[in-house]
Amino acid sequence: LTQIDDKFHFLEFGRLVVDLGAAPGGWTQVAVERVGEGHVLAVDLQEMDSLAGVNILQWDLTHEDAATTIREAVQKNGSSVEVVLSDMSPTVTGHAATDHLRIIGLCEVALALAKDLLTPGGTFVAKVFQGGAQGDILAALKRSFRKVRHFKPPASRKESSETYVVALDYRGMETELGE
């Protein structure tokens, strides 16, 4: 996350960040260092150890009330969500096509939540595995965000198929309603 933010500069001090699938908390720690205490909400189905300056919500991101529950937790801070992060990864099977479809499914869940939570101008960052099924995700991102980039940080192993999509400048719900 540090390398991604060093390139795209979206974790500005004071911004409100929602980290989806946050356990065990590596991205959450980076986010709170950059945006400040009280500006990060970590959400995961798994229980997480408390982290200084981080609000933690244990919740199933696939539950139909996920966006409402997250929004209620965010409103305690009285802020709008400006960054949604997703480093979620499925339990890998070793079968590349299956693993790719699983991570695309998680990315779709994260994107749906991001579109529901983000304020216009916001940023969405998500892990994806390289493969053919990401076309629909990219099309949805390009409709919803003004800039969409792929980035493979130097810290990511060269042989790994993981890469990240960085979607900048969210157009807002008005765009979504017009789809």
Side-chain angles (χ1 to χ4, degrees):
L1 180 60
T2 300
Q3 292 173 343
I4 298 170
D5 185 49
D6 285 349
K7 178 157 180 75
F8 295 100
H9 310 287
F10 52 87
L11 292 176
E12 297 172 5
F13 187 82
R15 287 187 135 192
L16 184 59
V17 176
V18 174
D19 185 4
L20 303 173
W27 275 31
T28 304
Q29 290 174 346
V30 170
V32 78
E33 287 170 8
R34 296 205 174 197
V35 300
E37 292 190 7
H39 293 280
V40 179
L41 175 65
V43 186
D44 203 294
L45 180 60
Q46 299 177 35
E47 188 173 340
M48 288 179 62
D49 293 334
S50 63
L51 297 167
V54 176
N55 297 313
I56 297 174
L57 174 63
Q58 187 174 356
W59 195 259
D60 182 350
L61 295 170
T62 63
H63 191 279
E64 64 183 43
D65 292 334
T68 301
T69 302
I70 294 168
R71 199 175 306 101
E72 288 171 357
V74 165
Q75 287 173 347
K76 292 177 185 174
N77 289 9
S79 298
S80 299
V81 177
E82 296 162 295
V83 178
V84 173
L85 305 173
S86 173
D87 192 31
M88 292 190 284
S89 185
T91 303
V92 291
T93 65
H95 183 259
T98 300
D99 293 340
H100 176 72
L101 291 174
R102 286 181 174 182
I103 195 139
I104 291 298
L106 289 175
C107 191
E108 288 171 344
V109 167
L111 176 57
L113 289 168
K115 291 188 327 186
D116 203 347
L117 296 169
L118 280 172
T119 189
T123 300
F124 174 65
V125 178
K127 178 191 300 185
V128 295
F129 290 164
Q130 295 171 345
Q134 67 192 38
D136 290 342
I137 287 282
L138 289 176
L141 287 166
K142 288 177 180 178
R143 281 190 305 272
S144 300
F145 295 84
R146 287 185 175 80
K147 295 179 190 171
V148 178
R149 304 288 184 262
H150 277 94
F151 184 66
K152 186 166 180 81
S156 182
R157 296 184 325 263
K158 285 184 173 62
E159 67 276 3
S160 171
S161 64
E162 86 177 10
T163 187
Y164 293 87
V165 289
V166 181
L168 305 162
D169 199 6
Y170 179 54
R171 297 176 193 271
M173 286 304 288
E174 302 79 43
T175 302
E176 301 307 315
L177 298 174
E179 285 186 3

